[in-house]
Amino acid sequence: MYDSPISERQLTQQEIKFSARGVQVYYGDNHAIKGVDVDLEDKTVTAFIGPSGCGKSTFLRCLNRMNDTIDICRVEGTITLDDQDIYDKRVDPVQLRARVGMVFQKPNPFPKSIYDNVAYGPRIHGMARNRDELDSIVEKSLRRAAIWDEVKDRLNAPGTGLSGGQQQRLCIARAVATEPEVLLMDEPCSALDPIATAQVEELIDELRQDYSVVIVTHSMQQAARVSQKTAFFHLGHLVEFGETSQIFTNPEDKRTESYITGRIG
Amino acid sequence: MPLQWLFLIVLAIATLGYVMGRRRALAAAHHDRRRLHSLPSYYGANAGLKAFVPAFLFAVIWLLVQPLVVTNTVSNMLGADVIPDTSSRGLVMSEVRRAADGLDAAVAQGFITKDRARSADADLNEVTESLKSAGQIITSELTRPILNAAQRYRAMTGAGASIMSGLVILIALAGALWGIWQAKAEFRARNVVEQGIRALLIAAASIAILTTLGIVLSLIFNTIEFFRLYPAADFFLGLNWAPSFSGRGGSSDLGVLPLLWGTLYISLVALSVAVPIGLFAAVYLSEYASPRARGIAKPLLEILAGIPTIVYGLFALLTVGPLLMQVFGEDGLGWMQAGTAVMTAGLVMGIMLIPFVSSLSDDIINAVPQAMRDGSYGLGATQSETIRQVVLPAALPGIVGAILLAASRAIGETMIVVLGAGAAARLSLNPFDAMTTVTAKIVSQLTGDADFASPEALVAFALGMTLFVITLALNVFALYVVRKYREQYE
Ligand SMILES: Nc1ncnc2c1ncn2[C@@H]1O[C@H](COP(=O)(O)OP(=O)(O)O)[C@@H](O)[C@H]1O
Ligand SMILES: [Mg+2]
C-alpha cells in the first residue's frame, strides 16, 4: 500500500459508512451471498464487479433493504450504516431508503412529468415547506444530475418522453433530490449509449464530493475510470476488495486476475 | 336416404381416401418416406379433405336451396281460385306442407300404402281417415287441389333428396379419387393441406362475422319499420312510457327517456358499489396479499362471476329488497314503498360487477412494471404511497377502461332489473322508487300476445338498437383507452 499515490492514500482515510459482517443471503434454497465482510467508505466510489449471477445486485440491494420486497429473500449477518444496524427491528426500511438512494439498471422514470418525478421524494418526505422551496430542490437536483439545461424548458413534459440517457440522469436527479447519504447504482449505464455513459460517469465523479457511491458494473474500464475501491464477487463470495488501482494492476487472487483478463465471466 | 346415413357414407369415403392416399404416396416413394415431399399423413389428409369438404358444402347449399325451389314451384301450381278470400297464399302453402308431412307420417306408420298416397285421384275421405289415424292434425277440410299440391310437394322433395344423395356421394368419390391420384412423391401435399386448413378457418371466422352482421341488419330494418309507424322524435324525446296493448297503435306513448333514465340510474348505483370495492379488492390482491391468500381469495372472488344473473335477481327480490324495506320502508324511514327499487337492483348488480371490475383491474395493476414500484420504494416511499402515487396513476387509463366495460355490462343487464327494480317506467330522483330499464321493457314488450307488426312490439327493436349503440360506443371508447395505456410501456 505504500507504493500507491498520495491522493489515493488520502481517500482511504475516509470514515466508514457501511460495514457488513458475515452477510448471508438466501432466495429460498438458493444461497446467493456467502459470508461477505466489507467496509464501504464515505465520499468514495466503490465498484462491485464480477460475472453475472455472482450476487452483486443482491448484495447492493441488502444495503437499502430492497430485498425486503422479495418474499423468498432472507438476509443474515449484520450490516451497519454509521454504526447502526440497519436490520435492527427498530429501523424503518422506508426511512433507511430515504438515506440510501438507488438508481436502477433500466431507467425507470414514473409516468409523470419531469418535475413531478424529481419532486416525488421531497414530497413524500415533506422536505419543502412551500412551492418555491420545492422548485429550488428540483432545480438543484436536475443541475446536479447535469440535465437541467436539457429539460428546464419542459419540466411539465412526461419523463418517459426523454431519451434513455436523459431518463437515467432524471432518475439520478430523482434519487439525489431526497438528499441521501449513500447512492447505490446497479449497472446504471448498461442501457445507455457511449455518450450518455460518459455523461453519467462524469456525474458519478462529481457526486463523490458529497456522497458515498456504490456502483455495480460489467465494464472493467468503467470501474477503473470512476471508482477508488473495487470489490470482486464470484459465486456469492467476496473474493477480493481493495484499491481500484491495486485490483486492476496487481490482483492477489487468481480468480480476480482471470476475470479481469477476461478468462471467467 | 336419411341425412345421417349420407353423412356417414361421405365420412367413410373421406377416411378411405385418407388411407389410400397415404398408402399410394408411400408406395410411390418405395416405402422410403424421406423421398416424399411431405409426411405421408399429409397425402392422406389431402385426399380426405378433397372428399369431405366439397361434398359437405354442396349438401349444405342444396339443403338451403331445395325448400325454396320446391315451395316456389308448388305455389305456382296452385291457381288463384284455390286460395280463399279470407286466407293468403302463404297460409294455403303451410296447409299443403302440413298435408305433405302428414302423408309422410301416415306412410311411415303403414296407414296408407305408398301408391295410394301418391295417386292423383286418391279418395279424399280415405286419405283424411288415414291421416287422422296416423295422429296428424288437419285443420281444414282436405280439398283436391291441396292434396294434389301436397303430393307434388312430397314427390319433389323426395326426388330432390335422392338426387342430392347421389350427387354428394359422387362428389365425395371424385374428390377422394383426385386426392389419391395426386399422391405422388413430388406433390406438395403439406402446402395444399395448409391452404385447405386456412380456408376452413377463414370460413369459420366469416360465419361468425356474417351472423353478427345479420343480427345488426335485422335490428336496423326492424327499427326503421318501427320509425315508420311511430315518430322518431316522440320516441327519443318522449317523457312518458305507456304502451297500450288493447288498442291499435297511436294510443301508446313510447318515450324512451324514462327507460334510459332508469338504466342510467341503476347502472350508476351499481357502479358506485362495484368500482370502489372491486378496485380495493384488486389492490389488495395484487399488492398486499401473500401468494397463499391470493391463491385462495382470487378464485373465490371469481366464483361470484360464475353465478347466473337470475340467481342474483332472486337474491335481490327475496333478500336485499326486504332488508332495505326494514330500514327505509314504512316501518323505518318511510322512503320506500316496495322492495323492488332502483337501490335494490343497483346494489345487487354492483355485487355482480365486483369480480368483473376486480379481475380486470388486477390484471392491469399487475401489468404496471415492477421497476416502477422499485423506483418508488428506492426513494423511501411506503407501500400505500407507492400504490397511490405511482401504481394507480400508471394503471388509471386501464382501470377507466375496465370501469367502462363494467358499465356496459350494467346497462345490458336484464334479470336483476326484472326481479329487483320493478316494472314501472318513471322519471324520478328517489333511488327508493321502483323504476325499470330498457332491457326489462324489451322483455315485457315481446312476452305479451301482441301483434308482431304493431309499434308496441316493434319498439323492442328500437330499444335494442338504442342499447346496442350505447354499449358499442362505451366498448369502443373503453378499448381505445385501454389500448392507449398499453403503448406506454412498449
Ligand atoms: N428475485 C430473485 N429471486 C430468486 N433468486 C434471485 C432473485 N434475484 C437474484 N436471484 C439469484 O441470486 C443470485 C445472484 O443474483 P444477482 O444478485 O442478480 O447477480 P448479479 O447482479 O451479480 O448478476 C443468482 O443465482 C440469481 O438467480
Ligand atoms: Mg445484477
Side-chain angles (χ1 to χ4, degrees), chain A residues 61 66 69 71 94 97-98 100-102 104 108-112 120 124-125 174-175 178, chain B residues 291 370-382 385-386 389-390 393-394 488-489:
Chain A
R61 291 161 60 91
M66 274 301 273
T69 60
D71 290 328
V94 169
R97 290 184 202 130
V100 184
M102 188 158 199
F104 297 82
N108 59 347
F110 303 135
K112 298 170 180 290
Y120 185 83
I124 56 177
H125 297 300
R174 190 175 71 183
T178 51
Chain B
Q370 183 61 29
M372 291 295 128
R373 299 184 181 88
D374 284 348
S376 174
Y377 293 139
L379 290 169
T382 63
E385 283 166 346
T386 302
Q389 305 200 21
V390 175
Q488 244 175 40
Y489 298 113

Side-chain angles (χ1 to χ4, degrees), chain B residues 424-444:
Chain B
R426 87 159 56 106
L427 277 166
S428 155
L429 278 174
N430 182 358
F432 297 101
D433 269 347
M435 278 185 213
T436 193
T437 64
V438 177
T439 48
K441 275 303 156 201
I442 293 180
V443 175
S444 64

Side-chain angles (χ1 to χ4, degrees), chain B residues 212-396:
Chain B
T212 316
L213 208 69
I215 292 174
V216 172
L217 281 181
S218 105
L219 208 55
I220 290 177
F221 285 129
N222 283 300
T223 306
I224 292 174
E225 183 61 31
F226 167 72
F227 284 135
R228 228 177 254 146
L229 298 172
Y230 193 87
D234 289 358
F235 174 72
F236 285 116
L237 303 175
L239 294 178
N240 197 17
W241 175 269
S244 79
F245 278 111
S246 48
R248 282 281 177 209
S251 56
S252 299
D253 278 340
L254 299 174
V256 75
L257 285 181
L259 304 185
L260 276 183
W261 169 244
T263 302
L264 291 183
Y265 205 177
I266 292 176
S267 303
L268 211 69
V269 173
L271 285 179
S272 50
V273 171
V275 169
I277 298 181
L279 203 56
F280 290 162
V283 168
Y284 170 74
L285 283 181
S286 62
E287 301 285 318
Y288 287 90
S290 69
R292 248 178 68 97
R294 186 182 155 88
I296 297 170
K298 206 171 149 109
L300 276 182
L301 202 62
E302 268 153 21
I303 286 178
L304 272 183
I307 298 175
T309 57
I310 184 75
V311 177
Y312 282 108
L314 289 176
F315 177 57
L317 186 68
L318 302 177
T319 312
V320 177
L323 219 67
L324 285 177
M325 270 302 272
Q326 279 179 12
V327 183
F328 300 104
E330 263 133 34
D331 303 335
L333 293 168
W335 296 343
M336 208 168 169
Q337 262 82 52
T340 50
V342 167
M343 212 55 182
T344 315
L347 285 178
V348 174
M349 202 190 281
I351 295 170
M352 177 196 82
L353 290 176
I354 288 172
F356 195 72
V357 173
S358 80
S359 81
L360 275 177
S361 311
D362 185 48
D363 291 346
I364 290 155
I365 291 174
N366 274 330
V368 174
Q370 183 61 29
M372 291 295 128
R373 299 184 181 88
D374 284 348
S376 174
Y377 293 139
L379 290 169
T382 63
Q383 193 162 15
S384 78
E385 283 166 346
T386 302
I387 291 166
R388 243 180 314 125
Q389 305 200 21
V390 175
V391 176
L392 286 185
L396 191 65

Side-chain angles (χ1 to χ4, degrees), chain A residues 148-163:
Chain A
W148 172 252
D149 291 330
E150 288 156 72
V151 299
K152 64 170 184 268
D153 299 324
R154 48 172 170 151
L155 290 175
N156 289 320
T160 41
L162 298 171
S163 76

Side-chain angles (χ1 to χ4, degrees), chain A residues 212-231:
Chain A
S212 166
V213 178
V214 185
I215 175 172
V216 173
T217 175
H218 269 133
S219 151
M220 300 304 130
Q221 290 87 344
Q222 185 169 61
R225 278 195 300 265
V226 300
S227 72
Q228 288 78 53
K229 291 283 180 124
T230 297

